[in-house]
Amino acid sequence: MHTLLVVDDDPDVLSTLTRSFRKGYKTLSAPGGAEAITILNEQPVDLIICDQRMPNIGGVEVLSHALKVQPEAIRILLTGYTDVDSLLACVNDAHIYKYVTKPWDPEELNLTVVRALESLDLKRDLDEARGLLESAYKDAVVMLCLAAEGKDQDTSSHLHRVQNYTEALAMAMGVDEKEAVHMGVMSMLHDIGKLATPDAILKKPGKLTDEEWVIMREHPMAGVRILGDNPFYELAREVSAGHHENFDGTGYPNKLRGEDIPLSARIVKLADVFDALTTKRPYKEPWSIEAALENIETFSGSMFDPAIVKQFKQLYFDGTLDHIRELN
Ligand SMILES: [Fe+2]
């Protein structure tokens, strides 16, 4: 059942409104702005009908507060005036759904409430579906990467650390939060091309021969092929193709240089190398963070983008790197 909050300093109006909505809704009533704000701070409300002119705290203030604390709740303003300027201010400040002039037509108000709540339910259903899809795609990425893990020494915790370093670095480099989160998820796919690399090469205990290196170096473009042509995975293709390019143009597969290498790939390269250095592998003990950072600094400008190295060191100084390592 939906919860309505009706607010009016006129007791007659308040009881009329409360009575008219009591059937079918959980109806809360507030005789003034202060009481309304207390209710909004304490319990979830689906829709608010609020009088405009009230002593002390007016309707615009109440609905603006509602916008802050319960942005999803539908806001309807009851007004005795049709002063265009003040109504416009209210629409701007409190993002109201609709204003209703007094005296109101009860049937019309009821219909407004019904429609508003229908749109609220629809929005909630859509949000839920979107959330489900989002978690499904993230799970699918992890599943795919874990399938590839069987062929390599990467573990899910390595992938999640690379994801988190990538996300933090992307934000530090000025990428907006939503895109940075997406880049983090896509970063996990950087080595997906190793699915196409023969086990004899991937798991060879000794050094690779020149011919074997040629095959090993095919994994970035093999990843691009595996990732198909869906626009959603564009960033993952960028990362797969570019995570072995070097900033000075000596990397592979395309010997791209500087900013010709997509930002996502430059970021993931650093995140991946740092995590490989600081993690225990069958053939080596983990390096300390400081030793790994020093090593990365040595290759700033050759392997890595100096601007990204600088931001990464900042993440070390502000404790973000430690936090990520504790998380995973
Ligand atoms: Fe790789």
Side-chain angles (χ1 to χ4, degrees):
M1 185 186 272
H2 290 108
T3 302
L4 265 55
L5 170 62
V6 289
V7 190
D8 203 303
D9 62 316
D10 181 332
D12 293 338
V13 173
L14 191 62
S15 76
T16 306
L17 281 172
T18 310
R19 257 185 286 118
S20 66
F21 288 111
R22 196 174 285 152
K23 240 188 191 176
Y25 304 102
K26 179 184 172 189
T27 309
L28 309 168
S29 62
E35 292 86 346
I37 283 175
T38 304
I39 291 174
L40 286 167
N41 288 342
E42 286 172 357
Q43 51 183 307
V45 164
D46 298 305
L47 182 142
I48 308 149
I49 301 173
C50 185
D51 185 28
Q52 183 178 17
R53 181 179 274 191
M54 295 185 291
N56 301 321
I57 300 174
V60 177
E61 212 175 314
V62 171
L63 294 180
S64 298
H65 183 77
L67 175 66
K68 249 185 263 156
V69 295
Q70 298 199 40
E72 212 188 42
I74 307 271
R75 295 168 294 278
I76 295 174
L77 186 76
L78 263 185
T79 175
Y81 324 90
T82 44
D83 170 5
V84 175
D85 284 344
S86 67
L87 284 177
L88 201 64
C90 185
V91 171
N92 288 335
D93 293 348
H95 298 195
I96 61 164
Y97 174 80
K98 197 166 184 174
Y99 70 87
V100 174
T101 46
K102 286 177 176 176
W104 67 91
D105 172 352
E107 243 174 65
E108 208 179 304
L109 181 60
N110 189 44
L111 199 65
T112 300
V113 168
V114 168
R115 289 214 174 117
L117 290 172
E118 275 172 4
S119 75
L120 180 68
D121 288 345
L122 194 64
K123 185 183 172 295
R124 282 175 178 160
D125 287 349
L126 277 174
D127 285 349
E128 197 187 332
R130 191 186 304 141
L132 209 64
L133 271 178
E134 233 165 68
S135 66
Y137 103 79
K138 284 180 184 166
D139 284 353
V141 167
V142 173
M143 281 187 263
L144 190 58
C145 293
L146 289 180
E149 177 215 326
K151 289 176 64 81
D152 201 6
Q153 68 270 32
D154 282 0
T155 62
S156 62
S157 55
H158 163 71
L159 294 172
H160 283 299
R161 281 191 302 270
V162 171
Q163 174 191 11
N164 292 338
Y165 294 142
T166 299
E167 187 182 313
L169 263 177
M171 277 198 272
M173 291 296 288
V175 174
D176 79 59
E177 192 181 344
K178 208 171 154 208
E179 180 77 2
V181 169
H182 180 59
M183 196 186 285
V185 177
M186 294 296 110
S187 76
M188 289 194 274
L189 291 160
H190 66 275
D191 265 344
I192 199 69
K194 285 185 178 170
L195 279 171
T197 312
D199 281 0
I201 295 175
L202 216 50
K203 293 182 174 169
K204 186 175 173 180
K207 280 191 170 179
L208 299 185
T209 64
D210 288 350
E211 292 77 25
E212 286 166 340
W213 265 118
V214 170
I215 296 168
M216 187 68 170
R217 287 188 174 128
E218 285 172 357
H219 81 270
M221 296 318 288
V224 173
R225 285 193 296 277
I226 289 170
L227 289 163
D229 56 9
N230 187 319
F232 187 81
Y233 289 100
E234 180 60 36
L235 211 51
R237 285 190 291 275
E238 266 183 23
V239 166
S240 178
H243 74 284
H244 285 290
E245 298 289 358
N246 285 336
F247 198 70
D248 63 4
T250 60
Y252 65 92
N254 295 315
K255 290 191 162 45
L256 296 181
R257 180 190 292 267
E259 293 187 0
D260 286 345
I261 307 164
L263 177 67
S264 57
R266 277 179 275 146
I267 287 175
V268 173
K269 181 185 185 79
L270 198 156
D272 186 32
V273 170
F274 175 78
D275 196 63
L277 291 175
T278 51
T279 311
K280 184 174 165 45
R281 292 280 164 95
Y283 50 88
K284 72 162 200 42
E285 288 303 310
W287 293 24
S288 69
I289 295 189
E290 291 73 17
L293 280 177
E294 205 175 301
N295 185 268
I296 280 170
E297 178 95 69
T298 311
F299 293 103
S300 177
S302 52
M303 275 175 85
F304 307 114
D305 178 346
I308 296 175
V309 173
K310 193 174 154 204
Q311 292 301 335
F312 199 64
K313 273 164 49 193
Q314 195 53 45
L315 294 178
Y316 165 66
F317 291 127
D318 70 20
T320 307
L321 297 189
D322 277 327
H323 178 64
I324 289 172
R325 284 157 56 85
E326 278 162 22
L327 271 181
N328 301 287

